[in-house]
Amino acid sequence: MGVLELLLKAWNLAALAIASVIFCLPLFSQTSQPTAGASGDEVTLQIIVVGSPEEAQQIRERVKKGESFLVLAKEKSADSTAEDGGRMGTVSLSMLRPELRDALRGVGTGQLSEVVRTPVGYAILKVVERGANGGVSAAGPGGTQATAATGSVKYSFNVGGLNEAEQGLANFDKPADWNQDPKKICQSRKQSLAAEKKSIEDFLSPRNQERLAARPPIDRLSAHFSLGEINSYEGDMDRAIEQYQEAYKIATSDLSSATLHMTEALGIAYLHKSEMENDVYRNPGERCLLPMRAGDAYAKTADSEKAIEYFLKYLEQKPEELEVKWLLNLAYMTVGAYPQKVPPEYLIPPSVFESPENVGRFIDVAPQAGLNSFSTAGGVIVDDFESNGRLDVVTSSNKGNFDVVTSSFDSCGPMHFFHNNGDGTFTDQAEKAGLADQFGGLNIIQADYNNDGCLDILILRGAWEVAQRKSLLRNNCDGTFTDVTAASGLAVPATSTQAAVWVDINNDGLLDLFVANEDGPAQLFLNKGDGTFEDIAQSARVDRIMFSKGVAAADYDNDGYPDLYVSNLNGKNFLYHNNHDNTFTEVAGPAGVPGSGHGFATWFFDYDNDGWPDLFVTSYFVSVDETARTYLSLPHNATTLKLYKNMKDGTFRDVTAETGLDKVFMPMGANFGDIDNDGFLDIYLGTGNPSYASLVPNVLLRNHDGKYFVDVTASSGTGELHKGHGIAFADLDNDGDEDIVAEVGGATPGDSHALRVFENPGNGNDWISLKLVGTKTNRSAIGARIRVTVENAGQGVRSIYRTVGSGGSFGASPLQQHIGLGKDSRILDIEVWWPTSNTRQHFSRVDKNQFLEIKEFAQDYAKLDRQPYRLGGAQREVQAQAKQVAPGPTKSR
């Protein structure tokens, strides 16, 4: 088989064309896609999507034995077509996702496909007679994507090359143990991308022009687009646009059905190029915040103007397209022409971005503070890793970055360990700490798993892609770490995951580890107390297989034992009730917490301070369209965020709408903290998806007395437009309020971004910071519960509740608990409940606005010397004198 044939086969199997867009452009012409049951290029389908291949196969067998496909779809399918019996309607083969086209090869009317993996689960397709679905069409302009679609959700056009890179890695001939070594993972990434790029370049080379000319137009278009995608992945937008332009020429001359797609692709590519040309990824400042101010317009506007040209050309044909309208308005912002020059019929009015109230302007101080990470998607931990009373910052990068200054491409993202210098600045000491060769990792979390008084680090790898080894890094208590993954028993098997939580499931004082995976059974590692772990997931009955994206732990029924919650991207979520004997019972249905059906980040927190853990679960749809609908107050096609109030009887009530959270924001990284020290926990969402089209702001939601949440993104200046991943709340400067640390960067090196550190402007309310140290309970005190009884002048007595943990499921806040007390407060009592000893401590008449350490069984607390400092040090003082930043836009009240 020649190079050309190998390449085309690889494209077909690996879906190297335009995947994960509303209409996936085909890899082959319809004449090369013989499919029984189709009429020309169309076929009528039903679909069932579930979370595991085993479940999909079981359902397929049940259908073959005579059970109704429609009934099983309603009962079992995670796709939004479930309510309609899985009816997709009549679709164009050329517009199906490539893996679905493959699955339909040779499938006749009335027959079932084999089980096929898609980005959102495992699918079974059934070909039915034309008209069996009522003549509904899911193809053509305005149709839905199969099967990334849920209902009529319009998914974002995927420009950026992630699919090409990941499929190339999956198909690359790798060493047998490649996924057990971060260095080999790095090397395989580099080699697979280079091989893939060379194959496509050879296919398109001049010496192959005669054979290439004989190929159908769609093959030639797909080849140019795929090469453009790999260039986009690397951040080489000039070469990417050259290839997109070639694809555009083919579309306009020979393949009119693809013209609009290539028009949008060029608009997206030019806008991304404009951002890179103006260095907003490395030096974002105010230029990456929504809404952009006219004074922050780009100096170089030529590429943004080209983007505007293509977006307008698109909207001439499809004026209702919300994603393109959104991007058009952003492009006008970059040239300083919003809103005045946006055509009125396409204008998104400035009023939709305004905040109902002003919470003060947060300022990004990362550059001045020396927190100069520049990376792709990754995790973040803020905590005291050196036991010196200072909060350090640790970040990971899942892949690497493209350096817009040196134009160099690095496929391997190292960790950063930012040592806190104690003067408002940080120094990266990753090499000194032994972390420089820990490549990759989408999420990282901390805990003192061996109870030696020093915080250790767990790195989670392989999310969204091929399985890779975790890394457990033991803190040596001298500023260095040792990789003990293999010795601890966590290395094998390698899995695809970013979701894990440290939790003491049996209250023996040893932290166990629950890991929810995307490609296999969940794992529950029981800590044996000798530095090793044993996976007891099967006997514990928590080894379900789903495409899981978030996990959380809390004692939701206050019975003294922690329970587990799993958020799944492709179906109902799981709530595992702890049976007190190292086993769990799944009770999500009876408890009333099924989730959105498309879950991601999740956590327990007591949002209303009634002493019972409530549950927050995000939905995740890769749709700019749905986010725009939130801002424009239009009806949603996607399910929203979910907030479940604990009813204190083992069940929860969905209070999403009444608390103002019935919104769709595309959140990935997420966490909670108290931005205004009022004692009620607020939410910050890091948003986005891998496509360069995904330019939607991070979101800050303020909690109003546990009753409802208000979007204060614009007034706070925290609406970073680029991809938000790990999020942490922390009082980095010891001044008594929580700052927000946001790891920003996309899934491709060409979408790398600088770390953001949004410094809290202050609020005048009181606070207390508590560091708990377990003696019989685990040393980190994870799971210990705090109740602070406080009296606020003129407002009476109330209680504020916290549980020790690192917060949300994507990003890790310090384990020491920062607790806002409100205005003019007086602490009447601090109560701490310790889970292992089941004991309570009480401390009365404690002074506010200070840092305390409380040890289990101690008769008194210890005051900690934590001197405040200004983030950025002397350099920041000079800059503060040079520039005054005005507050963000707010709506009149």
Side-chain angles (χ1 to χ4, degrees):
M1 186 177 291
V3 173
L4 175 60
E5 290 75 16
L6 282 169
L7 177 58
L8 291 177
K9 181 180 180 183
W11 279 348
N12 190 31
L13 295 175
L16 292 181
I18 309 173
S20 300
V21 298
I22 294 306
F23 301 113
C24 294
L25 294 181
L27 293 168
F28 298 94
S29 65
Q30 65 187 48
T31 58
S32 63
Q33 304 275 340
T35 305
S39 175
D41 185 42
E42 294 184 340
V43 62
T44 305
L45 298 173
Q46 296 168 350
I47 190 168
I48 295 174
V49 181
V50 293
S52 72
E54 292 83 3
E55 184 181 9
Q57 189 60 44
Q58 290 172 4
I59 292 172
R60 187 176 186 276
E61 293 301 320
R62 291 172 65 179
V63 174
K64 288 177 67 177
K65 291 178 181 178
E67 291 192 51
S68 168
F69 192 101
L70 298 176
V71 171
L72 287 171
K74 289 182 179 181
E75 292 178 355
K76 303 292 186 180
S77 183
D79 193 74
S80 67
T81 58
E83 290 302 313
D84 197 29
R87 294 183 176 94
M88 289 174 61
T90 301
V91 303
S92 169
L93 284 170
S94 63
M95 296 303 176
L96 278 176
R97 294 182 57 86
E99 66 268 32
L100 299 185
R101 291 202 309 276
D102 281 348
L104 289 171
R105 189 181 295 276
V107 178
T109 301
Q111 294 180 340
L112 299 174
S113 73
E114 297 295 331
V115 174
V116 55
R117 181 171 183 174
T118 77
V120 294
Y122 294 86
I124 314 155
L125 298 163
K126 182 178 181 180
V127 178
V128 298
E129 289 286 352
R130 182 76 177 267
N133 291 334
V136 178
S137 174
T144 59
Q145 175 193 1
T147 77
T150 292
S152 54
V153 171
K154 168 69 168 65
Y155 276 71
S156 295
F157 198 112
N158 195 350
V159 174
L162 179 64
N163 292 319
E164 280 73 10
E166 296 304 340
Q167 291 295 340
L169 176 62
N171 293 336
F172 186 67
D173 187 12
K174 302 175 286 290
D177 62 344
W178 78 280
N179 61 12
Q180 288 294 320
D181 184 345
K183 292 181 180 179
K184 289 183 179 179
I185 294 171
C186 162
Q187 193 64 26
S188 294
R189 283 192 186 281
K190 288 183 176 180
Q191 293 173 348
S192 64
L193 192 72
E196 186 177 20
K197 186 176 182 180
K198 184 178 185 302
S199 294
I200 303 177
E201 288 175 338
D202 288 346
F203 177 43
L204 292 172
S205 69
R207 66 177 179 273
N208 195 39
Q209 288 306 299
E210 185 175 342
R211 295 178 65 191
L212 187 62
R215 301 298 305 180
I218 187 59
D219 288 1
R220 291 182 278 117
L221 183 149
S222 295
H224 284 292
F225 187 88
S226 293
L227 184 55
E229 286 288 88
I230 292 177
N231 287 320
S232 287
Y233 179 90
E234 295 178 326
D236 190 343
M237 297 311 297
D238 285 322
R239 287 191 172 87
I241 288 172
E242 288 176 5
Q243 296 301 320
Y244 296 150
Q245 288 284 9
E246 291 299 319
Y248 180 77
K249 290 176 186 177
I250 296 170
T252 55
S253 63
D254 300 316
L255 201 67
S256 59
S257 62
T259 302
L260 270 180
H261 306 300
M262 294 314 308
T263 302
E264 183 179 1
L266 280 164
I268 294 166
Y270 271 112
L271 184 55
H272 191 76
K273 181 174 182 285
S274 182
E275 293 179 305
M276 296 184 77
E277 288 287 327
N278 287 277
D279 199 24
V280 301
Y281 287 93
R282 184 173 287 280
N283 296 293
E286 300 280 305
R287 297 178 298 170
C288 291
L289 304 181
L290 189 72
M292 284 183 64
R293 301 166 178 174
D296 295 317
Y298 295 174
K300 303 173 185 177
T301 61
D303 291 315
S304 287
E305 289 164 1
K306 290 291 291 185
I308 290 170
E309 175 187 329
Y310 280 103
F311 291 144
L312 288 173
K313 187 178 296 186
Y314 185 105
L315 290 168
E316 288 174 4
Q317 301 298 314
K318 290 186 69 176
E320 76 286 355
E321 186 61 54
L322 266 182
E323 174 173 291
V324 181
K325 282 185 183 180
W326 178 275
L327 294 172
L328 176 69
N329 280 261
L330 292 184
Y332 272 111
M333 289 181 193
T334 67
V335 300
Y338 172 89
Q340 65 274 16
K341 292 189 178 180
V342 182
E345 64 270 32
Y346 306 139
L347 176 65
I348 296 177
S351 60
V352 306
F353 302 120
E354 295 174 352
S355 298
E357 57 194 41
N358 192 347
V359 296
R361 189 80 171 177
F362 287 64
I363 305 299
D364 179 16
V365 298
Q368 301 93 320
L371 291 163
N372 53 358
S373 169
F374 180 72
S375 66
T376 59
V380 64
I381 306 171
V382 181
D383 217 319
D384 181 4
F385 286 97
E386 299 176 283
S387 301
N388 59 8
R390 303 170 187 167
L391 294 177
D392 308 299
V393 178
V394 181
T395 67
S396 65
S397 178
N398 198 36
K399 293 179 179 67
N401 66 76
F402 174 81
D403 194 313
V404 295
V405 176
T406 65
S407 298
S408 64
F409 168 68
D410 179 11
S411 176
C412 307
M415 292 186 71
H416 295 282
F417 182 88
F418 291 104
H419 162 80
N420 189 325
N421 298 323
D423 60 359
T425 67
F426 295 76
T427 301
D428 190 355
Q429 296 185 353
E431 186 171 355
K432 177 182 176 181
L435 302 179
D437 59 352
Q438 288 290 338
F439 301 115
L442 188 57
N443 194 12
I444 50 179
I445 52 176
Q446 83 279 27
D448 182 2
Y449 80 92
N450 56 358
N451 288 335
D452 65 355
C454 303
L455 289 175
D456 312 296
I457 298 173
L458 178 73
I459 305 174
L460 301 167
R461 296 189 178 91
W464 303 106
E465 52 185 24
V466 291
Q468 297 167 36
R469 190 198 77 167
K470 312 167 189 68
S471 284
L472 179 61
L473 308 178
R474 187 189 65 212
N475 191 330
N476 300 319
C477 301
D478 61 359
T480 68
F481 294 80
T482 297
D483 189 329
V484 295
T485 317
S488 69
L490 299 184
V492 179
T495 62
S496 299
T497 187
Q498 67 178 62
V501 64
W502 291 102
V503 54
D504 184 357
I505 65 165
N506 52 12
N507 287 338
D508 65 353
L510 300 170
L511 284 173
D512 312 301
L513 178 65
F514 178 66
V515 181
N517 296 306
E518 299 173 357
D519 61 342
Q523 299 163 298
L524 178 56
F525 293 103
L526 191 70
N527 191 329
K528 298 168 69 174
D530 60 358
T532 67
F533 295 81
E534 176 188 1
D535 186 358
I536 63 166
Q538 185 174 14
S539 64
R541 302 200 294 270
V542 296
D543 60 336
R544 285 172 171 79
I545 301 174
M546 288 291 276
F547 202 93
S548 302
K549 299 304 296 180
V551 295
D555 180 8
Y556 77 88
D557 55 355
N558 283 347
D559 67 353
Y561 283 79
D563 312 294
L564 304 170
Y565 190 75
V566 183
S567 178
N568 299 311
L569 186 65
N570 53 3
K572 293 181 179 179
N573 296 344
F574 305 139
L575 176 62
Y576 292 115
H577 178 262
N578 193 324
N579 299 324
H580 308 180
D581 60 359
N582 287 359
T583 70
F584 293 79
T585 300
E586 204 287 300
V587 296
V593 288
S596 67
H598 282 256
F600 206 124
T602 185
W603 59 69
F604 289 95
F605 71 155
D606 189 353
Y607 84 94
D608 53 359
N609 279 327
D610 67 353
W612 292 77
D614 309 298
L615 182 61
F616 176 73
V617 194
T618 69
S619 63
Y620 185 69
F621 294 85
V622 290
S623 174
V624 172
D625 179 279
E626 290 294 323
T627 296
R629 289 175 178 275
T630 292
Y631 283 92
L632 293 167
S633 299
L634 296 174
H636 285 293
N637 299 303
T639 49
T640 68
L641 306 169
K642 293 293 181 183
L643 179 63
Y644 297 109
K645 177 179 171 59
N646 194 322
M647 302 307 294
K648 308 178 185 180
D649 61 358
T651 69
F652 295 76
R653 181 169 65 88
D654 188 338
V655 295
T656 307
E658 67 189 70
T659 56
L661 291 178
D662 50 342
K663 305 175 187 299
V664 180
F665 282 129
M666 214 188 310
M668 296 182 291
N671 216 320
F672 59 87
D674 186 355
I675 61 167
D676 51 5
N677 282 341
D678 65 350
F680 291 94
L681 292 167
D682 312 299
I683 296 170
Y684 188 66
L685 306 175
T687 64
N689 75 73
S691 174
Y692 294 170
S694 175
L695 294 171
V696 294
N698 290 358
V699 179
L700 183 59
L701 301 167
R702 183 183 178 225
N703 185 339
H704 267 262
D705 301 325
K707 298 175 182 177
Y708 59 92
F709 290 80
V710 172
D711 187 341
V712 294
T713 308
S715 66
S716 64
T718 56
E720 166 61 55
L721 272 170
H722 298 106
K723 315 309 189 308
H725 287 89
I727 304 295
F729 283 77
D731 184 4
L732 275 178
D733 47 7
N734 292 339
D735 66 350
D737 49 45
E738 289 191 292
D739 313 298
I740 300 174
V741 181
E743 172 79 355
V744 182
T748 70
D751 210 10
S752 301
H753 200 283
L755 181 75
R756 292 287 219 170
V757 179
F758 293 109
E759 184 183 24
N760 196 314
N763 45 69
N765 286 340
D766 299 318
W767 54 275
I768 193 78
S769 182
L770 302 179
K771 177 183 178 181
L772 302 190
V773 180
T775 53
K776 189 173 183 180
T777 298
N778 69 87
R779 185 72 174 265
S780 300
I782 289 174
R785 298 203 295 262
I786 300 168
R787 173 180 176 177
V788 179
T789 304
V790 62
E791 182 178 28
N792 296 102
Q795 298 183 21
V797 176
R798 62 178 175 134
S799 293
I800 303 167
Y801 297 87
R802 296 290 185 270
T803 299
V804 176
S806 59
S809 59
F810 197 170
S813 301
L815 296 177
Q816 68 182 55
Q817 296 297 296
H818 178 95
I819 304 171
L821 305 175
K823 190 174 181 61
D824 298 327
S825 67
R826 185 165 63 97
I827 297 174
L828 303 180
D829 180 69
I830 295 176
E831 176 187 270
V832 180
W833 174 78
W834 298 90
T836 299
S837 62
N838 193 23
T839 59
R840 297 179 189 273
Q841 293 166 294
H842 286 271
F843 304 98
S844 302
R845 306 295 179 181
V846 178
D847 289 339
K848 60 188 179 183
N849 301 337
Q850 60 177 334
F851 297 85
L852 305 180
E853 179 180 276
I854 298 175
K855 290 185 177 181
E856 190 174 11
F857 303 121
Q859 298 299 309
D860 204 354
Y861 57 80
K863 294 183 179 181
L864 301 175
D865 182 17
R866 301 285 187 269
Q867 296 300 316
Y869 43 80
R870 187 170 178 81
L871 286 172
Q875 180 185 3
R876 177 79 189 289
E877 296 289 352
V878 173
Q879 293 184 348
Q881 296 173 15
K883 180 180 180 181
Q884 296 294 322
V885 180
T890 56
K891 295 178 182 177
S892 58
R893 300 183 67 186

